[in-house]
Amino acid sequence: MDLVIRNASLPDGRRGIDIAVEGERIAAVGPVLAVTGRREIDAAGDLVTPPFVDAHFHMDATLSYGLPRVNESGTLLEGIALWGELKPQLAQEALVERAMRYCDWAVARGLLAIRTHVDICDERLLAVEALLEVRRRVARYIDLQLVAFPQDGLLRSPGAFENLKRAIRMGVDVVGGIPHFERTMAQGAESVRLLCEYAAEQGLRVDMHCDETDDPLSRHIETLAHETWRLGLQGRVAGSHLTSMHSMDNYYVSKLLPLMRESGVAAIANPLINITLQGRADTYPKRRGMTRVPELLAAGVDVAFGHDCVMDPWYGLGSGDMLEVAHMGLHVAQMTGQAAMRQCFMAITDTPARILGLEGYGLAPGCYADFVLLAAGDPVEAIRLRAARRAVVRRGAIVAEAAPARSTLRLPGRPDAVDFRMAR
Ligand code: FE2
């Protein structure tokens, strides 16, 4: 074997497991495998997980914090104004450079698949060209999926639908949208219908910014679910953000959840950004603004967590760590039960992998040898510690390594170091 990991714990709770890798694929998984590897790593009981997957990101804006100036108020509206100021100044090479730098961070964090929205409301489609170039450059180590995103509205922004179709012809993978940003509810619904019909015709997946507002009457997710069902797009459509669901009437939601499940629409919440930007106009009580994650899961709807932003006009924090995203999601949704905490881990691994349609993802024989060895004993400890990535493996090769967190102490009568670990 080319690589063997010894004595690993797996996210499903199995312990004492060896993983054997031959070439780019996992050859065997089981207790005490009778094989030898050209390289062997002793996991010492630590967790091996398939790579982290970010279902929702904006790579055209990332690491632009401070350009052309910082967001002083930290609000969504100043963020949108800032992006408007920055857009005409964007240069392709600088955008590629920032995105490549973020991809370096992502690999170091074990984040090996990212779905990024790319703004197509720019005649030049400069960001599209830049991110297609980035997709080519990082293909060996990151699965980068691009969504054609009409940031200024499909019907509201002149030429947006044509630009979106051009972007798809250039190689963008997924059809995006932003129905709540159209001028009327009717136009929002019309944009959903047009985009879903186009996606069905082209055989593409759909992922819309949908109802990213505190307005309980923003109900475009209903149209998105219905169009998905009508056009036979089950399993290929996601609604991103869905924050209006937080504020909706409970009876209405009791009808909406089964519709979403039956239509096979997935939900993507973005906890760090939703908790930051939503409910801003409230006094007290102040709404939390994240979609109804536990209720969606209980109804059988796939829910993933996305990072959305890192160091951009909307959000001046983040470092590509999906464990930080899960940590925030777990808190905002009050998902502190044992099973619920594990669901939060799935929301940054298996579930987004399914939403993106990643092939060969997982820890079974035959899957790609893509995985992360964490300095944690189980998924809950990984989230608690935002655990160090001891080793990040892509297609059988180690692409990043980090030392586990450890602090030395100088205290009389106490241990000489702590590593914050409990689950061993
Ligand atoms: Fe977004």
Side-chain angles (χ1 to χ4, degrees), residues 217-238:
L217 295 179
S218 188
R219 295 174 167 185
H220 297 295
I221 180 58
E222 177 188 273
T223 310
L224 183 61
H226 178 74
E227 289 300 316
T228 300
W229 172 81
R230 182 176 72 86
L231 295 162
L233 289 169
Q234 288 91 338
R236 289 160 57 196
V237 176

Side-chain angles (χ1 to χ4, degrees), residues 56 58 209 241 308:
H56 188 109
H58 293 265
H209 283 67
H241 291 289
D308 204 4

